[in-house]
Amino acid sequence: MTELQFAHEPDASRYTLHHGSDLVSVLDYRDDGRTVALTRAYTIPTFRGSGYAGELVDRAVAHLEQAGERRVSPVCWYVADWFAANPQRSGILVERRAG
């Protein structure tokens, strides 16, 4: 089985996941220096249903946790759902202020 390759592409403000030579999933973000807003998780249609987006979000969150410099705002619905399914990883999330 071909290994998955995870990459951070800061010049493009994205994380990527490749399966062999194929780009399978992309996670876009905005970084304001304090918070990383994860804005869009996208899997190439022919690769959907294989768990690539979840794997990419998991690796990106691990990357951000390891760096320890930023909080995360899950702007993308998929990322928000991923955090809801993985509450043990929610320590990195930006605290929401009451309206």
Side-chain angles (χ1 to χ4, degrees):
M1 180 176 174
T2 304
E3 292 290 319
L4 296 176
Q5 293 90 37
F6 168 78
H8 180 211
E9 299 176 3
D11 292 341
S13 298
R14 71 182 194 169
Y15 292 96
T16 60
L17 192 68
H18 285 79
H19 184 264
S21 62
D22 294 319
L23 175 65
V24 295
S25 196
V26 175
L27 178 60
D28 294 323
Y29 68 85
R30 288 188 321 267
D31 185 347
D32 69 7
R34 293 182 321 269
T35 302
V36 174
L38 300 177
T39 58
R40 183 183 77 130
Y42 180 79
T43 298
I44 307 304
T46 55
F47 297 105
R48 290 183 181 159
S50 298
Y52 292 129
E55 182 68 24
L56 179 56
V57 172
D58 181 67
R59 292 184 187 203
V61 169
H63 178 260
L64 292 163
E65 287 170 334
Q66 183 177 17
E69 301 168 345
R70 305 280 194 277
R71 306 299 280 172
V72 169
S73 176
V75 175
C76 170
W77 68 268
Y78 183 88
V79 175
D81 285 356
W82 184 90
F83 273 105
N86 295 277
Q88 72 280 9
R89 305 290 290 282
S90 65
I92 197 170
L93 292 176
V94 172
E95 292 183 26
R96 300 263 183 203
R97 294 182 186 177

